[in-house]
Structures are given as structure tokens and as C-alpha cells.
């Protein structure tokens, strides 16, 4: 079995992605585009969240209202995933945010896990891993394993841009994880960067390029 991969298809996604790709886009413009795309991704990725019904009194009458009935965790991978937190929290204000810190070793492109805020117990019921980039997939796999170890059984991966290699690796190695992305690009280059890609999301979000 391979995991389910959902790729967004929408003209507004294409336009905001173009802003991310464009090397002349400012840090502010880049962050704004990440925010928009994260909101659209979140809309798709949360489509099967269950709600409970409660009566609500409107100024006119009463009707059925809805409340989320599951504990939702957002797990951003530092640094770039941080930019996806606020739009998700806007949509699900009761979400818990648990940070994981990882960076790719430049020589080997393997992830280095340097920080975890995951608690030892009381796992959330559904976790959304947030990282704009899925390149080799190493960081995502490491994050998913840490969340599974915490005890979470339902995990969804939200990336804005992915490589075919990273998608295939996730599908083969973590088939139970549903993946949502805005686009799957052509390939990785010899430096393990996504082509055509958008450069390094963390650097562009935090103005640390160069
Ligand atoms: C980037 C990106 C992902 C990771 C993807 O982070 O934000 O976390 O690389 O690559 P992978 O799929 O090959 O693991 P980076 O290492 O640049 O860290 P940063 O966000 O702190 O800049």
C-alpha cells in the first residue's frame, strides 16, 4: 500500500506559488504567499475532521451548530514550518503547537534533529506536520517517527512544494501518512534542492539568504 497524496489544483495556488518561486519576491511577499497557501492546504487537509453537533441560538431561532471533537496538534519543523503555524491556528484556534527542530546537514543532506518539544505522554488525536519543503523526505520521515513514538496514530504531512523523490519515499516508507502539497516539482538536483523549486524556504522566510 502507498500513502494517499493530494496535490492542490487551483489557479490561486498557481499564482501564489509563482510568488514563492520568483527570486525577486521580498521576504514579506514570500511570507504572505506561504500564509495563503498554508490556509488553502489546511482547508483540504482538514476536510475529514469530525465534529459534534450542539444546539446554537441565533438571533432568529435555534439550529444545529458544530464543534471539533478531536485534539489537533500542529507540529512545525523549524525553521520554515513556523510560517505555516499562524494560518492553521487561525482556522483551528484550539490546536496545540508542538515544535520540532531539524536542519539538513549540508554535506550529506540527512536531517539533524536538534530540538523536540513533544511531551512524553498525552498524544494528540491527529497531528499535522508543517514544513513548506519536502525534498529528500528525510526531515519529514524523522518528524513522523517522533510523532508516532509520542503515540499519535493519525498523522498528516503538509508541504507546499515537494520533489517526486521525497513523495515516493514517504509513500513507500510511511504509507499510513496522508500527504498534502501544492505542487510536485521536476526533481532534486545534485545538491538535493528541489528543481525548479523556490530556493531555501527557511532563509527566504527569515531574511537569512546569503
Ligand atoms: C529545509 C526544509 C525542510 C528540509 C527538507 O530545511 O525546510 O525542513 O530542508 O529537506 P529534506 O526533505 O531533504 O529533509 P533546512 O534544513 O534548510 O533548515 P531550515 O528550515 O532551518 O533552514
Amino acid at each position: 500500500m502507498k500513502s494517499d497524496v493530494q496535490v492542490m489544483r487551483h489557479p490561486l495556488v498557481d499564482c501564489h506559488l509563482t510568488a514563492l518561486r520568483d527570486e525577486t519576491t521580498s521576504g514579506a511577499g514570500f511570507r504572505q504567499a506561504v500564509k495563503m497557501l498554508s490556509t488553502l492546504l489546511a482547508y483540504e487537509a482538514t476536510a475529514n475532521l469530525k465534529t459534534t453537533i450542539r444546539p446554537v441560538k441565533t438571533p432568529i431561532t435555534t439550529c444545529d451548530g458544530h464543534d471539533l471533537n478531536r485534539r489537533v496538534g500542529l507540529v512545525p519543523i523549524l525553521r520554515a514550518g513556523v510560517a505555516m503555524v499562524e494560518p492553521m491556528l487561525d482556522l483551528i484556534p484550539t490546536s496545540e503547537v508542538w515544535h520540532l527542530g531539524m536542519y539538513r546537514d549540508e554535506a550529506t543532506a540527512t536531517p539533524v534533529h536538534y530540538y523536540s518539544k513533544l511531551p512524553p505522554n498525552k498524544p494528540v488525536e491527529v497531528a499535522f506536520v508543517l514544513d513548506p519543503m519536502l525534498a529528500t523526505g528525510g526531515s519529514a520521515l524523522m518528524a513522523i517517527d517522533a510523532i508516532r513514538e509520542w503515540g499519535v496514530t493519525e498523522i498528516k504531512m503538509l508541504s507546499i512544494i515537494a520533489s517526486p523523490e521525497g513523495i515516493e519515499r514517504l509513500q513507500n516508507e510511511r504509507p499510513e501518512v496522508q500527504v498534502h502539497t501544492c505542487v510536485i516539482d521536476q526533481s532534486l538536483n545534485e545538491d538535493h534542492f528541489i528543481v525548479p523549486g523556490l530556493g531555501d524556504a527557511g532563509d527566504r522566510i527569515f531574511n537569512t539568504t546569503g
Side-chain angles (χ1 to χ4, degrees), residues 78-80 102-104 131 133-139 200 202:
L78 305 178
R79 294 174 299 162
M102 284 170 201
Y103 69 87
R104 284 199 322 183
D131 194 330
M133 303 185 73
L134 182 70
T136 66
S139 304
D200 183 310

Side-chain angles (χ1 to χ4, degrees), residues 92-131:
I92 314 174
T94 54
S95 303
E96 302 167 29
V97 184
W98 301 100
H99 296 80
L100 288 178
M102 284 170 201
Y103 69 87
R104 284 199 322 183
D105 179 288
E106 282 185 11
T108 62
T110 53
V112 179
H113 193 164
Y114 63 88
Y115 180 77
S116 175
K117 189 64 182 169
L118 299 185
N121 48 34
K122 294 188 181 162
V124 293
E125 289 166 283
V126 54
F128 294 88
V129 184
L130 308 180
D131 194 330

Side-chain angles (χ1 to χ4, degrees), residues 7 15-16 42 49-50 55 61 75 80 87 108 161 165 174 183 191 193:
V7 182
C15 294
H16 290 298
L49 284 181
K50 300 276 187 298
T61 183
V75 186
T108 62
I161 188 168
E165 295 90 334
R174 302 296 179 275
V183 68
D191 296 322
F193 269 87

